[in-house]
């Protein structure tokens, strides 16, 4: 199983970025999948998730609600995170991950799941929000 995040970069406050996570080794309709981020000097936190069989069933951390949108393309086995109205506090390394703990369901429990309980994850992509 491999998860490869891409799309990070330097963006000004208020700007937008779209991250991608290319997945191989399992199908996206098997388990919920999502994004974590680690800001400098802080612990990794869950950002967003999307359910396996219902792409409309998504979850977000309070800090990104209304600004980030997660989506996926099962045919391409790729997950996306559209980020807008970016703030300096969004700076960090963003990684995609999945766990069998909650099956195919995304929800607040998935968002709160510690990163060390993720079964699969990939190297992250750096997002820097700065003027």
């Amino acid at each position: 199983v491999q998860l490869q995040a891409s799309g990070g970069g330097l963006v000004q406050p208020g700007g937008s970025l779209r991250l991608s996570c290319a997945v191989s080794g399992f199908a996206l309709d098997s388990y919920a999948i999502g994004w974590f981020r680690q800001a400098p000097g802080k612990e990794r936190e869950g950002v967003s998730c999307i359910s396996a069989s219902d792409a409309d069933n998504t979850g977000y951390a309070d800090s990104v609600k209304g600004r980030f949108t997660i989506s996926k393309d099962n045919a391409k086995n790729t997950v996306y995170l559209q980020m807008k109205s970016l703030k300096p506090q969004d700076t960090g390394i963003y990684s995609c991950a999945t766990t069998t703990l909650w099956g195919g369901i995304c929800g607040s429990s998935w968002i709160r799941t510690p990163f060390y309980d993720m079964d699969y994850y990939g190297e992250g992509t750096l997002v820097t929000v700065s003027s």
Side-chain angles (χ1 to χ4, degrees), residues 108-131:
S108 57
S109 295
W110 199 105
I111 298 293
R112 292 196 300 265
T113 301
F115 188 76
Y116 56 74
D117 278 335
M118 294 291 122
D119 294 297
Y120 302 105
Y121 54 90
E123 291 189 10
T125 185
L126 177 62
V127 173
T128 304
V129 184
S130 175
S131 55

Side-chain angles (χ1 to χ4, degrees), residues 7-131:
L10 174 64
V11 62
Q12 291 188 342
S16 299
L17 274 177
R18 189 177 82 154
L19 306 182
S20 299
C21 174
V23 177
S24 61
F26 77 94
L28 291 183
D29 58 1
S30 299
Y31 299 106
I33 190 169
W35 293 89
F36 280 74
R37 70 182 179 189
Q38 186 167 26
K42 294 188 177 182
E43 290 192 3
R44 208 159 347 204
E45 61 175 351
V47 173
S48 180
C49 62
I50 187 166
S51 291
S53 59
D54 182 2
D56 292 328
N57 188 354
T58 57
Y60 300 92
D62 288 342
S63 58
V64 306
K65 278 181 182 176
R67 299 188 298 120
F68 289 12
T69 303
I70 190 171
S71 62
K72 63 177 180 173
D73 185 331
N74 285 353
K76 295 181 178 179
N77 233 33
T78 300
V79 183
Y80 305 98
L81 187 67
Q82 179 68 52
M83 307 183 294
K84 65 179 183 180
S85 302
L86 283 162
K87 306 175 182 180
Q89 53 263 46
D90 293 319
T91 293
I93 298 174
Y94 286 70
S95 305
C96 47
T98 187
T99 176
T100 60
L101 190 61
W102 307 108
I105 305 300
C106 157
S108 57
S109 295
W110 199 105
I111 298 293
R112 292 196 300 265
T113 301
F115 188 76
Y116 56 74
D117 278 335
M118 294 291 122
D119 294 297
Y120 302 105
Y121 54 90
E123 291 189 10
T125 185
L126 177 62
V127 173
T128 304
V129 184
S130 175
S131 55

